[in-house]
Amino acid sequence: MTEKNIPKPSSESQSFLKKYVKIIVVLAVIAGSSSGIFGRAIEAPSMAIGFWRLTLGLPFFAIPVLLKDRKELVSVSRKNHIVTFLAGAFLFGHFFCWFNAVKLTNIGSAVVLAALHPLVVIILTVFVFKRKVSVRQILGIVLALLGGTMVAGFDYRELSQGNFIGDILAFMAAIFMGLYFAIGNEVRKEVSGKVYVFLVFLACWLCFAIGIIATKTPVLGYSLKDYALILGLTLVCQIGAHAVFNLCFGYVDSLYVSAWESGESVFAIILSIIFLGQFPTQWEIMGCAVVVAGLLYYNYFSSKQGK
């Protein structure tokens, strides 16, 4: 999808987003890379984490939309409502699988497996949405994924110690993320960013609310530390990452967002150095270099094709 096919913004904030969208995507990826650290530190079950994450994050978009964008909200077609709810359900699946994965396997393997979503987006982009993706773009993404694998190291001893279920959940998180990204990219052609974010977060919240009831998961009774971490998770990852991704879909293709999001392992290592004092091995540094090279390679040919 080229920029000429993207709806033209009118407000100054939208113009700012359009001008700096590629930088903003990278900043959102940095924010999202902290989710594994948050998820491992929170002791509450994944269903409760997701429910509170959406409960705290939803008002940031519900209030402005209900006050200022009611006309557009009402005008959203039935088809887009259904598709957006489907995207919210996929986001629910991603969150549920991801938070269970980081509790059942090592974060390195979980990050790499969950970062495979560009492959899902490529398949949907080429075979479902019938858009052209160059071989060089695909090579850049594959190179970045290879680097991510080097960063994690794929410790097979971890797999043999009963963490296989966690790895499967991380892979499922990647599939759900790819579907969520691809759908968001299509809906954003007809629905503004604020309205779409509100609707997709509302759909995801409804899924978690149903899950809370179905699994009889307690909503209250967790430690103050858990609630503080969930608040941080909401502000940094839910709003700073996922909401921003959805807003950016109006200006760049979902494959671009997905490709950069696959570089999350690099930023996760940087955050681990800053907050946990965990320094990378030489192998991990080499993997980071490969990830960066792959993303720069992809970005170069993506920009070239757009022009």
Side-chain angles (χ1 to χ4, degrees), residues 75-300:
S75 67
V76 175
S77 68
R78 182 179 179 183
K79 173 188 173 183
N80 281 332
H81 270 297
I82 294 173
V83 175
T84 300
F85 184 86
L86 189 60
F90 287 139
L91 180 59
F92 160 78
H94 167 74
F95 285 155
F96 179 78
C97 291
W98 170 248
F99 286 118
N100 277 296
V102 296
K103 292 178 184 295
L104 294 173
T105 188
N106 60 321
I107 292 180
S109 293
V111 167
V112 171
L113 288 167
L116 294 176
H117 50 77
L119 301 180
V120 178
V121 177
I122 288 174
I123 292 171
L124 293 174
T125 300
V126 174
F127 295 104
V128 177
F129 302 124
K130 307 296 182 182
R131 289 200 297 272
K132 183 179 179 181
V133 179
S134 71
V135 174
R136 288 178 173 177
Q137 285 177 286
I138 295 175
L139 286 176
I141 293 173
V142 172
L143 187 62
L145 294 175
L146 176 62
T149 303
M150 293 172 64
V151 170
F154 270 123
D155 191 340
Y156 289 102
R157 289 173 298 178
E158 292 286 340
L159 293 176
S160 65
Q161 291 173 3
N163 294 332
F164 182 70
I165 294 178
D167 292 317
I168 291 297
L169 288 171
F171 180 67
M172 291 299 298
I175 294 176
F176 286 130
M177 176 72 90
L179 293 168
Y180 158 64
F181 274 168
I183 290 176
N185 186 73
E186 295 304 306
V187 178
R188 282 286 283 109
K189 293 177 182 178
E190 300 178 7
V191 180
S192 71
K194 289 186 296 182
V195 172
Y196 175 72
V197 172
F198 165 61
L199 289 175
V200 78
F201 282 6
L202 177 61
C204 188
W205 179 85
L206 287 172
C207 290
F208 272 111
I210 294 171
I212 284 284
I213 295 171
T215 60
K216 298 181 180 179
T217 301
V219 174
L220 301 174
Y222 304 107
S223 66
L224 290 177
K225 176 186 174 183
D226 270 3
Y227 287 117
L229 288 171
I230 291 173
L231 177 60
L233 177 69
T234 301
L235 296 174
V236 177
C237 301
Q238 187 68 27
I239 297 174
H242 280 276
V244 175
F245 289 150
N246 286 311
L247 293 173
C248 289
F249 283 148
Y251 309 96
V252 290
D253 194 88
S254 59
L255 186 56
Y256 178 87
V257 177
S258 185
W260 274 98
E261 222 275 331
S262 69
E264 189 175 287
S265 57
V266 174
F267 300 113
I269 283 182
I270 295 173
L271 293 178
S272 296
I273 294 173
I274 297 172
F275 294 104
L276 302 178
Q278 296 178 353
F279 290 89
T281 63
Q282 291 182 346
W283 183 255
E284 289 173 331
I285 294 174
M286 289 174 58
C288 288
V290 173
V291 170
V292 172
L295 291 175
L296 291 176
Y297 185 86
Y298 165 81
N299 189 53
Y300 173 76

